[in-house]
Amino acid sequence: MSEKKRYRSAEWYNSKTHKRDTFVHRGWMRNQGHPDHLFDGRPVIGICNTWSELTPCNGHFREISESVKKGVYEAGGFPLEFPVFSASESNLRPTAMLFRNLASMDVEEAIRGNPMDGVVLLMGCDKTTPSLLMGAASVDIPTIGVSGGPMLNGHHKGNTIGSGTGVWQLDADLSAGKITEEDFIEAEISMSRSKGNCMTMGTASTMGSMVEALGMALPHNAAIPAVDARRYSLAHMSGKRIVEMVKENLTMSKVVSKASFENAIKVNGAIGGSTNAVIHLAAIAGRLEIDLTLDDWEKCGKDIPTLVNLQPSGKYLMEDFYYAGGVPAVIKQLLDKKLINKNALTVNGKTIEENNINADCWNKEVIKNFDSPLVKDGGIKILKGNIAPDGAIIKPSAASSELMQHKGKAIVFESIEEFQNKIDDPNLDVDKNSILVLKNCGPRGYPGMAEVGNMRLPKKILKQGIRDMIRISDARMSGTAYGTVILHTCPEAAVKGPLAAVQNGDIIEVDVKNCKLNLNVSNEVIEKRLEAYQPILPEIKGGYQKMYVDHVMQADKGADLDFLVGKRGSEVKRHSH
Ligand code: FES
């Protein structure tokens, strides 16, 4: 042992001074049949698994874990799989986002408290990716990400249908009387016809792409379909690589820098990524003590066209994206235009340039050329003005170009419940030029900041054949949703941000080109209204939700809990037996 490098796990399994502790740590592990030589000081690799039958997008993760294990053993490591809180986007109420921070605490403490020298993060469904990255960042040992991959394309009655995006379309068709209820139900299994996460460029695929752009996973991590043999090969190679990373002591903070986040913002623009990436990247950066603000989105996202023709911005789905060349083919184009910080490091020890400079594009209809993109001015736009002094965001590639500069009369809903009760009221004084405003759905007002910002349009407007109107809120929206939707308005109404001052009939001016969002009401009137405003606050019975509302930060700060920001390292006190 003396010439051998001592890793962190040796404190548990190879103590020279606390023999009884070593007996306990090793002895109990032996009940799983692990032979003696696995405890000889080799790198112990944790496989952090968000497998759950209630998180269907991650339902195949035990199989992925088996491939990771093969790679770890092959490289001379000792893999140990452990479960963590799995936040399911499709099942968990009131919203999976409420539990992202809780899950990150689970991940952080599980990594720090256990004998592991490196960790493989198995991530898929929307919130499982940021929660694992956040938790791991706060510990900062060698870390590699492996995504579970998207489902195969949905096919229904001769059409391809995408996760989420298809639901919003089918729902609008059902409301407009264009399809029957039977058609609607039949589409369920046609949409989700294989293992994997949503196969639109929703939040899951966006975050898988962000993991790749940040340098936290091997190339092609985002797009290989969940059932493709190459997904398992990538998992195997990641298992092999993490053992080397431990030997090189290549920790997460050595891989991910401010330059990596700038690259991720640019890639998000080029892929037409989800608005949720803004919040998640801010939270991950906060854990790594990297200063990332909405101004960075404005600075780095500017002039990045959307190249990837995927739903909800475009036509195709993740399976097509993989066959067309995936994220490497996108990064290659950005590299050619000198838009990427080419020296940013990645988990395989190579730079982002070395990994992607020779990537091929096999289908220019799915991954468009930089000079004839899907949307010229893509990415996420940051709007500021007297309604949103700390910013609000919009995704132009999913919005209607004719609404990018618009003035309209506000139709205000104080809560999501009021919206649901009134939206189809035939007496609602709304027309296609109105602007729907929803309050009290931010991180504090609706704990977890529900994905309700893409409010459905009033039936009477849908019946006129109108499919889009401007909507403004302090909520989020699903990454699979689309429309001219202004989200994450900061500060939120529940903490008396100026969004709270908007009243029915006020005129709102939206100017996406010039990044402006203003209420045509004087500042004095706004202040007076805010003084009198009584936010609708949620009833909290205690437990985790109490901690959440007491400590959650605003959306521009990533909606993390204030006391979780930063790295706390991997040191842990010995517990003597
Ligand atoms: Fe899990 Fe979309 S619901 S990725």
Side-chain angles (χ1 to χ4, degrees):
M1 282 295 299
S2 54
E3 303 90 50
K4 260 186 162 175
K5 203 164 171 183
R6 272 178 76 81
Y7 302 115
R8 185 173 179 267
S9 59
E11 291 301 311
W12 279 259
Y13 295 144
N14 309 95
S15 174
K16 291 173 184 155
T17 48
H18 294 74
K19 302 279 181 205
R20 188 171 62 185
D21 288 345
T22 301
F23 184 98
V24 173
H25 295 312
R26 291 167 50 132
W28 264 257
M29 287 295 285
R30 300 292 295 275
N31 76 350
Q32 297 176 90
H34 301 303
D36 187 41
H37 71 270
L38 291 181
F39 298 92
D40 63 359
R42 65 187 63 204
V44 176
I45 305 299
I47 302 174
C48 181
N49 202 342
T50 44
W51 168 85
S52 164
E53 287 182 341
L54 284 164
T55 306
C57 311
N58 299 11
H60 58 302
F61 279 20
R62 300 296 312 273
E63 295 155 52
I64 293 205
S65 176
E66 287 309 311
S67 293
V68 173
K69 285 180 189 172
K70 284 184 204 166
V72 173
Y73 280 125
E74 187 187 331
F78 177 20
L80 292 167
E81 184 182 352
F82 64 100
V84 287
F85 189 108
S86 183
S88 162
E89 200 61 30
S90 55
N91 276 323
L92 203 54
R93 290 183 179 178
T95 166
M97 180 62 174
L98 174 60
F99 304 106
R100 182 200 65 178
N101 301 338
L102 177 65
S104 77
M105 290 163 78
D106 177 359
V107 172
E108 176 182 343
E109 301 304 336
I111 296 174
R112 183 181 297 113
N114 277 299
M116 64 187 88
D117 305 306
V119 63
V120 182
L121 308 177
L122 301 192
M123 314 173 280
C125 196
D126 298 16
K127 304 304 175 289
T128 60
T129 301
S131 60
L132 268 56
L133 289 170
M134 288 160 72
S138 286
V139 189
D140 198 23
I141 61 173
T143 303
I144 194 167
V146 178
S147 298
M151 292 185 247
L152 295 175
N153 291 357
H155 286 288
H156 182 62
K157 296 199 164 172
N159 298 316
T160 46
I161 48 171
S163 324
T165 308
V167 181
W168 320 130
Q169 284 160 349
L170 289 160
D171 184 50
D173 287 347
L174 188 67
S175 293
K178 283 170 70 181
I179 58 166
T180 65
E181 205 133 319
E182 288 70 43
D183 289 332
F184 189 67
I185 291 169
E186 222 180 86
E188 286 174 3
I189 199 158
S190 318
M191 183 180 291
S192 305
R193 66 187 188 93
S194 85
K195 294 165 183 177
N197 55 247
C198 291
M199 80 320 250
T200 39
M201 188 51 85
T203 303
S205 293
T206 298
M207 289 311 295
S209 306
M210 294 298 90
V211 173
E212 202 172 322
L214 285 170
M216 279 302 298
L218 298 181
H220 287 294
N221 171 67
I224 305 172
V227 295
D228 192 305
R230 289 164 283 190
R231 171 65 52 196
Y232 296 85
S233 176
L234 181 132
H236 184 126
M237 296 309 290
S238 304
K240 210 169 155 211
R241 176 61 195 151
I242 188 68
V243 177
E244 292 164 10
M245 286 174 72
V246 170
K247 293 178 181 165
E248 294 161 12
N249 194 24
L250 187 58
T251 58
M252 186 166 170
S253 66
K254 288 181 187 162
V255 173
V256 183
S257 61
K258 177 77 184 261
S260 324
F261 280 99
E262 290 176 347
N263 287 344
I265 291 173
K266 290 172 186 192
V267 171
N268 186 271
I271 62 173
S274 163
T275 48
N276 282 317
V278 180
I279 290 194
H280 298 322
L281 289 188
I284 298 161
R287 296 298 184 96
L288 287 166
E289 299 165 9
I290 290 171
D291 184 36
L292 188 76
T293 66
L294 290 182
D295 293 338
D296 290 306
W297 282 85
E298 193 48 45
K299 187 183 81 192
C300 301
K302 213 166 45 193
D303 305 326
I304 303 286
T306 300
L307 308 177
V308 177
N309 187 6
L310 251 62
Q311 296 180 28
S313 302
K315 183 174 169 193
Y316 297 96
L317 295 168
M318 286 301 285
E319 198 184 335
D320 309 304
F321 183 40
Y322 178 53
Y323 303 148
V327 172
V330 174
I331 295 178
K332 152 86 174 148
Q333 285 206 54
L334 297 177
L335 279 165
D336 288 345
K337 295 285 174 187
K338 308 213 175 327
L339 287 166
I340 286 282
N341 298 309
K342 61 184 181 149
N343 295 324
L345 195 61
T346 75
V347 281
N348 64 4
K350 295 185 182 161
T351 65
I352 195 161
E353 182 184 43
E354 287 167 329
N355 279 343
N356 299 293
I357 194 65
N358 294 318
D360 286 311
C361 174
W362 306 105
N363 187 334
K364 294 213 178 313
E365 174 59 17
V366 176
I367 303 174
K368 302 264 192 186
N369 262 333
F370 200 92
D371 302 316
S372 54
L374 182 71
V375 180
K376 241 193 161 133
D377 198 5
I380 307 281
K381 279 269 182 193
I382 309 300
L383 308 181
K384 284 195 178 167
N386 62 0
I387 310 182
D390 293 340
I393 67 168
I394 185 169
K395 180 174 165 183
S397 62
S400 303
S401 51
E402 66 276 13
L403 290 172
M404 293 286 96
Q405 279 180 307
H406 183 84
K407 229 186 221 185
K409 190 179 62 176
I411 312 286
V412 177
F413 305 96
E414 291 294 332
S415 67
I416 189 67
E417 291 76 20
E418 185 184 350
F419 167 80
Q420 279 152 356
N421 291 336
K422 292 195 177 158
I423 190 65
D424 289 325
D425 183 341
N427 297 320
L428 189 70
D429 183 19
V430 63
D431 62 45
K432 66 177 173 106
N433 295 315
S434 307
I435 294 181
L436 305 180
V437 176
L438 173 63
K439 304 178 187 173
N440 294 306
C441 289
R444 175 74 181 80
Y446 191 115
M449 205 181 167
E451 291 188 329
V452 292
N454 58 318
M455 292 162 260
R456 68 184 170 83
L457 305 193
K459 270 189 185 151
K460 66 178 179 187
I461 299 286
L462 285 169
K463 282 189 178 144
Q464 294 165 21
I466 308 294
R467 286 290 183 270
D468 196 12
M469 291 170 71
I470 294 190
R471 290 153 269 178
I472 302 176
S473 71
D474 44 17
R476 295 178 302 115
M477 82 171 174
S478 162
T480 60
Y482 52 89
T484 311
V485 184
I486 297 168
L487 303 153
H488 309 183
T489 305
C490 279
E492 62 176 305
V495 298
K496 291 203 178 193
L499 179 72
V502 183
Q503 294 185 354
N504 274 321
D506 286 348
I507 299 297
I508 296 177
E509 222 176 318
V510 175
D511 181 352
V512 176
K513 188 158 179 257
N514 294 302
C515 303
K516 297 255 183 312
L517 177 62
N518 280 304
L519 183 66
N520 283 358
V521 167
S522 72
N523 285 345
E524 295 74 53
V525 172
I526 291 179
E527 266 169 40
K528 270 208 179 119
R529 287 182 186 177
L530 287 178
E531 266 170 42
Y533 188 72
Q534 295 294 332
I536 300 175
L537 292 172
E539 195 197 324
I540 302 289
K541 294 195 183 113
Y544 166 70
Q545 293 204 20
K546 171 88 174 75
M547 180 165 78
Y548 177 92
V549 295
D550 287 349
H551 292 280
V552 71
M553 301 190 296
Q554 288 295 290
D556 61 323
K557 305 273 188 306
D560 199 359
L561 303 185
D562 50 14
F563 60 87
L564 291 175
V565 174
K567 298 196 287 264
R568 285 166 283 281
S570 63
E571 268 186 38
V572 66
K573 243 187 163 171
R574 169 187 295 278
H575 159 71
S576 266
H577 293 276

